[in-house]
Amino acid sequence: QVQLVESGGGLVQAGDSLRLSCAASGRRFSSYAMGWFRQAPGKERQFIAAISWSGSTTSYADSVKGRFTISRDNAKNTVYLQMNSLKPEDTAVYYCAAARAMGTLSYRYEYWGQGTQVTVSS
């Protein structure tokens, strides 16, 4: 069992930046690929970014490419999502998740955090 807890969300203005953190507890964090997803009201959960177990490979949704950066610190059992140039359409609950292998499909991820709210005002 892997437990994931997101933090760092909040209310910001368009153009601002936020860094989300996902703290993991349990066994073998460094063996898991990690992903970030988001879900806005009335919409399906959307893939945002993923990172391989080693941190050497990353993947991003087109909607956030060039603005968001995923990273991980295995020594701290933590994955991050740096979000720059935020837009109102980025408003959503953001979730981190762990998977056996990196991917974009939510059902591939075995463990999920509780989510953290990000609200971007225009």
Side-chain angles (χ1 to χ4, degrees):
Q1 181 70 29
V2 175
Q3 295 175 321
L4 305 172
V5 180
E6 303 95 334
S7 63
L11 282 69
V12 298
Q13 300 294 314
D16 285 352
S17 297
L18 280 175
R19 189 177 76 161
L20 305 183
S21 298
C22 176
S25 62
R27 307 172 73 88
R28 300 286 191 175
F29 169 78
S30 62
S31 297
Y32 287 88
M34 299 294 296
W36 285 96
F37 295 77
R38 69 187 183 191
Q39 188 166 25
K43 296 184 178 180
E44 295 183 346
R45 187 168 295 183
Q46 177 188 24
F47 166 79
I48 298 301
I51 188 167
S52 64
W53 64 268
S54 68
S56 63
T57 303
T58 58
S59 180
Y60 298 92
D62 288 341
S63 60
V64 305
K65 192 173 299 181
R67 298 189 298 123
F68 291 10
T69 303
I70 188 171
S71 62
R72 68 190 298 164
D73 186 339
N74 288 344
K76 297 181 178 179
N77 284 7
T78 302
V79 63
Y80 304 95
L81 185 68
Q82 178 66 46
M83 304 185 294
N84 297 328
S85 301
L86 283 162
K87 305 174 181 179
E89 50 263 45
D90 295 319
T91 296
V93 177
Y94 284 71
Y95 300 89
C96 66
R100 300 284 181 90
M102 197 177 74
T104 63
L105 302 175
S106 61
Y107 68 81
R108 300 287 191 182
Y109 288 79
E110 300 178 51
Y111 305 102
W112 293 81
Q114 83 290 345
T116 185
Q117 177 71 46
V118 172
T119 302
V120 184
S121 173
S122 61

